[in-house]
């Protein structure tokens, strides 16, 4: 009688039993130009003024400017929260990351240390530069180039492009009349943003800290303040251009 051969059971790998999970990396894109024919044409041409945020695990990360030295300009809020003066345009699936959550959190913290609020510049270091940086760190691929096409044009041809492409107007009212920033105030703009989302924008790494603005000197207060309370002044980028409300990081 033939002997029965022993069948060797397939050996199980001793590697981690945790299955790799892909995390979506989404880009939310907002148009900073008032709705109308011009913004529609520029959008389809890929040359509109855009704001963007990176959505990771239910949080949308973006970058804005402020006058507080040493403080990050990277913040997060509820996805699809329209910034003051911005209109949601589309969601773009950029890719996936296999990095565990701890590694993703570490990358975001590193990005927040790299992108300080005082380093913000509308043309050379804006929210779309941050989006591209974070996407590349997470997926190996930068964000699509059309996000910053308007900034690239403004940088290459500063004497040709319209002034409003470089110094973006704050926003328009529904009837097309510009609202006075001093009359409305930054707090009112923030209130409109929060009412629409129910989720307060928070600086990365500052969620459990007091981030109220304190000026280091009277000179800094006068440069960053408008006489109506600390931190309520028009915020300017590193080149002195006034930032639109959509590009201001929350610091209070």
């Amino acid at each position: 009688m033939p002997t029965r051969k022993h069948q060797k059971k397939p050996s199980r790998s001793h590697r981690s039993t945790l299955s790799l999970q892909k995390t979506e990396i989404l880009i939310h894109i907002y148009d900073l130009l008032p709705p109308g024919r011009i913004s529609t044409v520029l959008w389809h041409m890929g040359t509109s003024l855009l704001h963007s945020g990176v959505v990771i695990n239910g949080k949308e990360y973006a970058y804005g400017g402020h006058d507080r030295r040493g403080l990050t300009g990277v913040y997060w809020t509820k996805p699809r929260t329209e910034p003051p003066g911005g209109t949601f345009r589309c969601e773009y699936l950029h890719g996936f990351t296999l990095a565990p959550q701890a590694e993703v959190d570490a990358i975001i913290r590193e990005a927040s240390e790299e992108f300080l609020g005082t380093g913000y510049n509308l043309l050379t270091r804006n929210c779309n530069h941050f989006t591209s940086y974070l996407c590349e760190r997470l997926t190996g691929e930068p964000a699509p180039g059309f996000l910053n096409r308007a900034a690239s044009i403004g940088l290459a041809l500063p004497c040709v492009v319209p002034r409003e492409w470089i110094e973006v107007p704050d926003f328009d009212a529904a009837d097309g009349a510009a609202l006075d920033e001093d009359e409305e105030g930054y707090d009112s703009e923030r209130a409109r943003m929060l009412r629409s989302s129910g989720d307060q924008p928070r600086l990365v790494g500052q969620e459990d800290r007091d981030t109220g603005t304190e000026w280091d000197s009277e000179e800094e207060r006068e440069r960053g303040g408008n006489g109506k309370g600390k931190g309520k002044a028009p915020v300017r980028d590193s080149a002195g251009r006034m930032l639109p409300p959509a590009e201001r990081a929350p610091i209070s």
Side-chain angles (χ1 to χ4, degrees):
M1 184 175 179
T3 59
R4 191 173 183 181
K5 292 184 178 180
H6 176 70
Q7 293 182 350
K8 186 178 181 181
K9 294 182 180 180
S11 61
R12 293 184 179 180
S13 172
H14 292 288
R15 297 173 62 184
S16 173
T17 57
L18 295 176
S19 60
L20 294 176
Q21 293 184 347
K22 294 192 298 185
T23 299
E24 281 187 339
I25 306 299
L26 301 170
I27 300 176
H28 281 179
I29 302 171
Y30 305 84
D31 199 330
L32 297 185
L33 293 179
R37 182 179 301 175
I38 294 178
S39 64
T40 300
V41 170
L42 292 178
W43 167 257
H44 288 293
M45 292 175 60
T47 55
S48 189
L49 293 170
L50 303 176
H51 169 82
S52 64
V54 183
V55 181
I56 308 169
N57 292 325
K59 290 182 178 180
E60 183 169 329
Y61 296 90
Y63 173 53
H66 57 67
D67 293 324
R68 184 80 178 273
R69 289 197 295 269
L71 189 63
T72 183
V74 178
Y75 63 95
W76 65 266
T77 188
K78 182 179 178 180
R80 290 192 64 166
T81 297
E82 291 187 341
T87 303
F88 179 78
R89 277 290 191 178
C90 68
E91 180 180 272
Y92 177 85
L93 176 57
H94 179 72
F96 299 88
T97 180
L98 296 177
Q101 185 60 47
E103 185 176 340
V104 171
D105 292 341
I107 290 173
I108 293 173
R109 284 196 301 271
E110 291 173 7
S112 71
E113 295 171 358
E114 179 76 16
F115 286 81
L116 300 181
T118 52
Y120 184 96
N121 186 286
L122 278 168
L123 298 183
T124 61
R125 194 173 181 81
N126 58 39
C127 62
N128 300 315
H129 291 101
F130 166 76
T131 291
S132 188
Y133 175 90
L134 186 57
C135 285
E136 187 166 13
R137 287 293 308 276
L138 291 169
T139 69
E141 294 291 334
F146 74 85
L147 287 179
N148 248 339
R149 190 167 294 157
S152 298
I153 294 173
L155 187 62
L157 304 171
C159 298
V160 177
V161 298
R163 179 180 177 182
E164 58 268 21
W165 283 35
I166 301 177
E167 295 189 14
V168 190
D170 279 354
F171 53 86
D172 290 339
D175 59 0
L179 295 177
D180 184 359
E181 184 179 33
D182 289 338
E183 179 180 343
E184 285 292 317
Y186 185 27
D187 288 343
S188 297
E189 295 157 7
R190 177 73 54 78
R192 282 193 294 274
M193 184 175 181
L194 299 186
R195 281 198 299 269
S196 66
S197 70
D199 190 12
Q200 182 180 4
R202 297 170 183 264
L203 290 176
V204 170
Q206 304 293 318
E207 292 88 343
D208 299 320
R209 303 179 189 177
D210 179 13
T211 57
T213 303
E214 294 294 338
W215 307 110
D216 295 335
S217 65
E218 181 64 19
E219 180 182 355
E220 183 180 357
R221 188 200 68 78
E222 291 177 355
R223 177 170 54 82
N226 61 4
K228 296 184 179 181
K230 294 181 179 180
K232 295 183 180 180
V235 181
R236 299 183 182 276
D237 73 0
S238 60
R241 289 176 289 262
M242 189 170 69
L243 297 185
E247 296 299 279
R248 300 175 190 175
I251 57 172
S252 59

